[in-house]
Amino acid sequence: MNAGRRPEPGYRGGRGLAVAVPILAAGLAIYPLLPPGIPSTADGPLHLIRSVEFDALLHRGILYPRWAPDLAYGYGYPLFNYYAPLFYYLTEIPHLLGASFELSLKLVIFGAFLLYGLAVYWWTRPFLGEPGAAVAGTAYIFVPFRFHEAYMQGDYPQFLALALAPLALGALDRLLTARRVTPGRILGLTAAFATVLLVHNISTLWVGLTLALYAAVRVAVEVCQTATRDAVGGKVPCPSEGSDRLLVRLAWIAATAVLALGLTAFFWLPALAEQNVVQLYRLRTDDYDVRHSFITLATLLAPPAVVDQTAANPPPYLHLGWGQLALSLATLPLAGLVVRAARRSSGIGLTNASLAHLIFGWSLLLGSAVLTIPISTPVWRLVPLLAYTQFPWRVLELSGLATALLAGVAVHLALALAGGCDAEPGRAASSTAAGPAMVPAQKGRLTRARAVGIVGTALALVIVPSLVYLYPREPFLVYGALTAADVTGFERQGGAVGTTSTGEYYPRTVTERPRAPLPADLDQIGRLDRAVLPTGSVVVFEGSQGYAERYRLFLPRPATLRFDLILFPGWQVDVDGRPVAVRPSPGQGLLLADVPAGQHILVLEFVDTPVRQAGWTIAAVSLGILLALGGCYLGQRLIRRQSPPGTVPETVPYRTLDTRAQPAAAPLPDATLDRRGVVVLGGGILALLSLRATSPAPYAAIFARRSPLDRVIGAGHPMRVRLEDKIEFLGYDLSTSIVPQGGSITLRLYWRALHALDRDYRSLAMIARVGDKGLLTQDDRVHPGGVPTSSWRTDHYTIDEHTLAIPAAAPPMVYQLQVALYDPRTLQHLRQDGRSGWEAEQIVLQEMHVIRRMPLDLTAFRSLGEPVFGGIIRLLGYQVSADHLRAGQTLVLTLVWQADHPISYDYTVFTHLIDRNQQQVAGHDSMPIDGQYPTSTWLVGEPVVDVHPIRLPSDLPADRYHLAFGIYDARTLQRLMIEAQGGSSPRSQIDLDLPIIVEPAR
């Protein structure tokens, strides 16, 4: 890692202008969010309400809130004790300047979009150059998952955390490559990591692992390449020298991590130490178990798809992005060409930085992608802390970071090959090393047109495929002026209580959650419940300040006071200046306190627990260390500025991994974008933005669609079924109609409300035997598509996706796929208009086949030479349960059939027990598998095991019998003739030579 980061000598102007490319690209992503209100996302309204509560607490003088008194219907909720607070501080800044809460939230989102491009540009510019950094920043903005977060999911703290992650990577890179480990670089990395930690809890885990991987790869590559150069140059490698440098680098990184953790201990230490106080275990159960949220490899690699604006809940964008993936794949042949050119001494070489980032990018991409699919289940089970991620697809954020980096590497290598220049911009080259650094060649020149062509192609690859995702859910939610009173109103109107999904921050003492809001005048009367006070008590509420409430109280006798407040560590009651014991009420977990009789001054307040005080102390010490480092850094700079040249020696107290001197850089070709190149590329992005703004209809005709209300464009199986004139079923898509035992299918249903609904129905998808004669498997959804039916809009349809798992022991045959909607209170199904019976309660979609996972073992069956019936049905073998029976018992004949060609009719199989006189004495006729697998539904080449039980009459004489069987058309009674074998005449049945001995019944 060389310290030289000088501009290319051959550079002809325009330095720094390439940063305009990711800025303009961010504008393209921001534009759809400009309408008033916020997008109709899953979590966006929750963060808006949290911002309102946070603002109210700041105005009460609580500078660092831990308790949200207006949540949980006004009983209070320790949300901010566990949820990272920095996002809400940031939304407060524009609100204090006069912006509404909605606009404040959106401004932070806008800033995050800009940061996505600028942070990656800042991180990668030293080793990718301006063109590669501009492409990497743009690719990071246009990762498909980015728009899932911003437009659909609305987990905006996570959205911001991953925008900050490249800043931490850039700070780490600069700490590794600097000639001196200065306090400024330590402060930079510490601040970057600490900021991520204070924005989003879960992202901190993944960003921390990413930083560790990045440091390990960069250090390992440098140490290996140094050893290689020493060996090639005739110097004996010194293992201890490389190890010492590695340990020093890792020690500095570890020190910054410790400082970052110390600086933020006021948040994470109480959250971690007090996690068992609340019901955090709920994040690892039920629908939030990570095992239920994996995505498939097909989803991960899915192509971009046009979003239907009529869909209330379009499918999530859980894809890698084809443009980013194509550029990532291009790095492999490009790196090979660079290595080949280096071997030919053509002046191009793969430098340490290029190699390290190539390895890091692919390691991060493959590792994060694998974690999103079911094959990674053991990892999620072995590392319990990962379970708090809840949804494995969150890790796609890291995949996006990896593909963005690799996209920049691809452009960087392509420009190097096109211009014949060194593959690391601004780095000095060594003429003696046989390793990665090569002397620049003078035989090639990168023309402006070629540079613009390469960079423009890369930008088109990452931007154009993602234009289909730039359509937020509509209509936008407009809340207007919000106050703390709206927090409880939000919960009462169906919002998540406590603004969390499972109530995971309720104390464990709460087993009966609040169901009704408290009175709105708590600020005037306080939280003391007067109803439980003894007769003759006098209460005077003297007001509140911050979290604290003060009362003047007279009790005629000792009493247990109850406060309309959920008890959580930190709440205490002081009576006449002395704390009294508090305890939770059974079930509800409300604060109870025993107070003696008499006149009292009572104060209810929320104070820091010992662990919270310890967190503040650690943070203060860490801040002091950082301030001291900052002071040293500023002092050194001041001394250098005031001292005459040459009087202060240039000391290098902390060296980089490779500190050997480098020769002066040779002139490089013009390997970057000039002003005109930036104008051309930026103009292309502006043209897209202008087209979107001025010609929305033609633009949408290419990148969006809007289905009419009576059908879904692109549905594989359109239908129109009305259910009690309330809901219309518009069709479905099915992943496959043939599934092996133990496999699964994905079924996507399309529903639309015909009128506003007053209740929440559940959806049910089933696989049943033909004619509804037995259930094989089913899948229920509490809310179809995750959207309560009571909130369905009549001008949108809802996508309801089900995964149906096939039991491993399911009989291979044909089944019916059925769906229904039902009322969970009465269990009554919505009935189809114009139908009766069970067919009215289930919508039959189609038939589907379950096939064997493993080939059928035919060695267990006797063969007759595979005779063919009617030229279409082949007998593969048979099996008889017994050849000695008693009268009254059941003889089972198992036949194995196979269709050689598609069959148009439903044939019947007859099995007869024949006596000596060739007379039938018992038998069993039915379509295959007791009528459950009609021959017209058979799959060509698939074995069908057909079991026929033959009940012997109880008075059947003891004698020798034999079996005969065949196939006939029940409509005409015409038998299928068996093809002649060995020159014999065609037959209408097969007579088995196996004698069946029947003995008298006991």
Side-chain angles (χ1 to χ4, degrees):
M1 298 177 194
N2 303 324
R5 294 172 184 259
R6 297 182 296 275
E8 298 89 337
Y11 184 72
R12 295 187 175 183
R15 181 172 179 81
L17 289 180
V19 72
V21 172
I23 292 176
L24 292 173
L28 191 60
I30 290 170
Y31 178 79
L33 296 174
L34 292 181
I38 62 174
S40 180
T41 60
D43 295 343
L46 305 182
H47 294 293
L48 181 68
I49 292 299
R50 291 178 185 178
S51 297
V52 176
E53 179 72 355
F54 203 83
D55 171 77
L57 293 172
L58 292 179
H59 279 83
R60 293 184 189 181
I62 305 169
L63 298 182
Y64 185 77
R66 295 186 186 272
W67 180 263
D70 299 303
L71 293 179
Y73 288 130
Y75 287 90
Y77 199 62
L79 174 70
F80 300 118
N81 191 63
Y82 298 96
Y83 208 91
L86 185 55
F87 178 83
Y88 306 107
Y89 281 112
L90 293 176
T91 59
E92 184 68 10
I93 294 173
H95 180 67
L96 291 176
L97 296 176
S100 67
F101 286 109
E102 296 168 5
L103 180 57
S104 299
L105 186 72
K106 288 171 64 172
L107 288 175
V108 175
I109 300 170
F110 296 168
F113 264 122
L114 286 168
L115 191 58
Y116 271 106
L118 295 178
V120 169
Y121 179 87
W122 177 77
W123 166 36
T124 59
R125 178 179 170 181
F127 52 85
L128 293 184
E130 290 186 2
V135 170
T138 304
Y140 197 43
I141 295 172
F142 282 87
V143 171
F145 189 69
R146 189 77 58 244
F147 306 105
H148 170 78
E149 281 289 336
Y151 295 170
M152 297 178 64
Q153 186 64 35
D155 190 350
Y156 295 130
Q158 176 176 284
F159 183 75
L160 177 59
L162 270 296
L164 293 165
L167 293 180
L169 288 164
L172 178 57
D173 174 67
R174 283 156 174 78
L175 180 61
L176 288 170
T177 58
R179 287 188 178 277
R180 296 183 302 133
V181 179
T182 64
R185 300 197 183 278
I186 296 174
L187 287 170
L189 181 56
T190 302
F193 186 61
T195 302
V196 173
L197 196 152
L198 290 176
V199 168
H200 194 245
N201 312 30
I202 296 173
S203 296
T204 302
L205 171 65
W206 296 110
V207 172
L209 293 174
T210 302
L211 290 172
L213 174 65
Y214 185 63
V217 170
R218 293 226 62 183
V219 171
V221 168
E222 183 67 28
V223 169
C224 292
Q225 293 292 356
T226 299
T228 302
R229 286 194 296 269
D230 288 342
V232 172
K235 178 181 177 182
V236 178
C238 180
S240 62
E241 180 183 354
S243 299
D244 289 345
R245 290 199 295 265
L246 175 62
L247 291 175
V248 169
R249 291 290 107 180
L250 295 180
W252 276 112
I253 295 169
T256 57
V258 170
L259 280 173
L261 290 173
L263 190 64
T264 58
F266 63 90
F267 162 64
W268 64 262
L269 184 60
L272 190 63
E274 296 172 348
Q275 62 176 321
N276 292 327
V277 177
V278 295
Q279 303 175 25
L280 208 59
Y281 61 87
R282 294 184 180 276
L283 294 177
R284 304 190 302 272
T285 59
D286 301 328
D287 291 340
Y288 297 93
D289 189 322
V290 294
R291 292 171 294 179
H292 299 160
S293 302
F294 287 113
I295 61 177
T296 65
L297 185 61
T299 298
L300 194 65
L301 301 177
V306 175
V307 179
D308 193 340
Q309 301 302 295
T310 312
N313 58 335
Y317 316 141
L318 305 181
H319 322 308
L320 288 178
W322 273 24
Q324 288 86 344
L325 190 57
L327 289 173
S328 298
L329 292 172
T331 59
L332 302 178
L334 287 172
L337 291 173
V338 168
V339 172
R340 182 181 178 185
R343 290 175 178 174
R344 294 183 176 181
S345 301
S346 63
I348 304 173
L350 192 65
T351 60
N352 290 2
S354 299
L355 178 62
H357 287 92
L358 193 61
I359 295 174
F360 168 71
W362 274 107
S363 300
L364 184 62
L365 173 58
L366 295 176
S368 58
V370 167
L371 285 173
T372 66
I373 56 180
I375 195 175
S376 65
T377 299
V379 177
W380 294 93
R381 289 177 175 173
L382 290 174
V383 186
L385 192 61
L386 297 185
Y388 289 105
T389 300
Q390 298 175 280
F391 308 111
W393 44 256
R394 288 182 189 264
V395 191
L396 282 176
E397 286 284 12
L398 302 184
S399 303
L401 182 63
T403 56
L405 172 63
L406 292 172
V409 171
V411 169
H412 175 54
L413 295 177
L415 290 172
L417 287 167
C421 61
D422 180 62
E424 188 173 1
R427 301 296 178 101
S430 172
S431 59
T432 62
M438 305 297 295
V439 177
Q442 300 299 319
K443 63 181 179 181
R445 179 176 182 80
L446 182 64
T447 64
R448 180 187 302 114
R450 190 178 299 176
V452 171
I454 292 173
V455 177
T457 300
L459 291 175
L461 281 174
V462 299
I463 293 177
V464 174
S466 290
L467 293 178
V468 297
Y469 304 121
L470 301 187
Y471 288 90
R473 287 180 180 175
E474 296 179 347
F476 276 26
L477 305 177
V478 179
Y479 291 92
L482 294 170
T483 65
D486 295 305
V487 174
T488 303
F490 172 81
E491 296 177 325
R492 186 170 56 249
Q493 293 170 8
V497 176
T499 69
T500 53
S501 302
T502 66
E504 60 268 23
Y505 299 138
Y506 273 116
R508 288 178 178 259
T509 55
V510 178
T511 57
E512 300 174 9
R513 298 184 182 182
R515 291 291 180 264
L518 289 171
D521 59 349
L522 287 179
D523 289 341
Q524 286 76 42
I525 65 174
R527 294 179 175 272
L528 179 59
D529 188 350
R530 274 72 165 177
V532 299
L533 296 178
T535 304
S537 299
V538 178
V539 177
V540 178
F541 178 61
E542 295 188 342
S544 62
Q545 183 176 5
Y547 286 127
E549 295 181 352
R550 181 181 174 90
Y551 300 84
R552 189 176 298 277
L553 179 67
F554 170 74
L555 297 176
R557 61 178 183 272
T560 298
L561 306 187
R562 185 177 69 189
F563 293 85
D564 290 327
L565 179 77
I566 293 175
L567 180 60
F568 182 73
W571 281 110
Q572 70 178 31
V573 174
D574 291 342
V575 176
D576 300 326
R578 296 181 179 179
V580 299
V582 297
R583 65 184 187 278
S585 65
Q588 293 180 311
L590 301 181
L591 189 154
L592 302 179
D594 295 323
V595 179
Q599 295 275 359
H600 302 291
I601 298 296
L602 184 147
V603 176
L604 170 71
E605 59 182 340
F606 188 70
V607 299
D608 280 339
T609 60
V611 70
R612 295 171 199 162
Q613 293 173 353
W616 285 114
T617 301
I618 295 172
V621 172
S622 302
L623 180 61
I625 295 173
L626 291 173
L627 290 175
L629 288 172
C632 292
Y633 176 62
L634 293 175
Q636 290 176 359
R637 296 196 62 175
L638 183 62
I639 291 174
R640 288 194 182 92
R641 287 183 178 181
Q642 294 179 350
S643 301
T647 59
V648 178
E650 279 291 328
T651 59
V652 186
Y654 306 108
R655 297 284 184 174
T656 56
L657 289 178
D658 188 5
T659 57
R660 62 192 65 190
Q662 301 291 337
L668 297 178
D670 186 4
T672 190
L673 297 172
D674 59 9
R675 293 185 181 89
R676 279 180 281 185
V678 173
V679 169
V680 170
L681 297 173
I685 298 175
L686 281 175
L688 278 175
L689 183 59
S690 299
L691 182 64
R692 174 71 183 269
T694 60
S695 306
Y699 184 94
I702 301 173
F703 299 110
R705 72 165 178 248
R706 186 175 293 276
S707 291
L709 295 180
D710 60 346
R711 64 187 178 94
V712 176
I713 297 176
H717 304 274
M719 297 177 67
R720 292 194 67 184
V721 178
R722 287 189 170 235
L723 302 177
E724 299 183 7
D725 200 34
K726 296 179 179 179
I727 294 175
E728 187 172 30
F729 179 64
L730 299 177
Y732 67 98
D733 285 309
L734 182 63
S735 59
T736 180
S737 61
I738 303 175
V739 60
Q741 297 167 319
S744 64
I745 63 169
T746 300
L747 176 65
R748 181 175 291 173
L749 310 175
Y750 304 108
W751 308 96
R752 183 176 73 90
L754 299 173
H755 310 286
L757 303 174
D758 59 356
R759 64 188 62 184
D760 291 326
Y761 295 100
R762 295 188 180 185
S763 64
L764 174 64
M766 301 166 284
I767 298 177
R769 293 179 184 267
V770 175
D772 200 44
K773 295 181 179 179
L775 183 66
L776 177 66
T777 186
Q778 69 179 41
D779 182 64
D780 290 64
R781 286 289 181 267
V782 175
H783 298 304
V787 183
T789 59
S790 59
S791 63
W792 283 5
R793 295 169 54 90
T794 58
D795 57 351
H796 285 73
Y797 68 84
T798 299
I799 303 172
D800 178 23
E801 191 165 291
H802 296 257
T803 299
L804 293 159
I806 308 299
M813 61 180 187
V814 69
Y815 294 89
Q816 280 183 341
L817 191 59
Q818 306 172 0
V819 297
L821 289 176
Y822 69 96
D823 188 336
R825 298 175 299 178
T826 64
L827 301 183
Q828 294 296 314
H829 289 209
L830 290 181
R831 301 176 65 84
Q832 298 181 50
D833 296 347
R835 288 182 176 265
S836 60
W838 72 268
E839 292 182 343
E841 296 185 349
Q842 275 84 254
I843 304 174
V844 178
L845 303 185
Q846 69 172 65
E847 293 177 340
M848 60 168 296
H849 289 82
V850 174
I851 60 175
R852 298 181 183 278
R853 176 170 291 276
M854 301 297 294
L856 179 65
D857 183 10
L858 292 175
T859 61
F861 298 89
R862 298 184 182 186
S863 175
L864 291 174
E866 298 188 2
V868 179
F869 292 70
I872 53 176
I873 300 177
R874 183 181 301 272
L875 179 69
L876 300 180
Y878 75 94
Q879 190 179 75
V880 179
S881 62
D883 55 7
H884 285 74
L885 296 93
R886 293 185 179 275
Q889 291 184 333
T890 300
L891 174 66
V892 179
L893 173 61
T894 303
L895 305 171
V896 182
W897 308 104
Q898 176 183 286
D900 287 348
H901 305 284
I903 304 174
S904 303
Y905 302 101
D906 292 331
Y907 293 105
T908 301
V909 177
F910 68 85
T911 58
H912 296 164
L913 186 66
I914 307 297
D915 64 10
R916 292 177 182 272
N917 300 320
Q918 301 301 311
Q919 298 296 314
Q920 177 184 348
V921 296
H924 179 268
D925 288 24
S926 75
M927 287 191 290
I929 312 183
D930 198 24
Q932 292 300 303
Y933 201 175
T935 56
S936 63
T937 64
W938 285 7
L939 298 173
V940 174
E942 180 70 16
V944 177
V945 179
D946 182 21
V947 178
H948 290 268
I950 304 173
R951 177 74 175 177
L952 305 185
S954 59
D955 57 352
L956 184 67
D959 202 349
R960 181 190 293 262
Y961 299 85
H962 75 274
L963 287 167
F965 61 89
I967 301 174
Y968 67 94
D969 187 339
R971 299 169 299 175
T972 63
L973 301 182
Q974 183 71 35
R975 293 186 179 184
L976 296 184
M977 301 304 292
I978 305 168
E979 292 182 359
Q981 300 181 28
S984 60
S985 301
R987 295 173 293 167
S988 63
Q989 70 180 35
I990 289 181
D991 292 277
L992 297 178
D993 294 333
L994 179 68
I996 305 298
I997 308 302
V998 177
E999 299 178 357
R1002 291 180 179 177

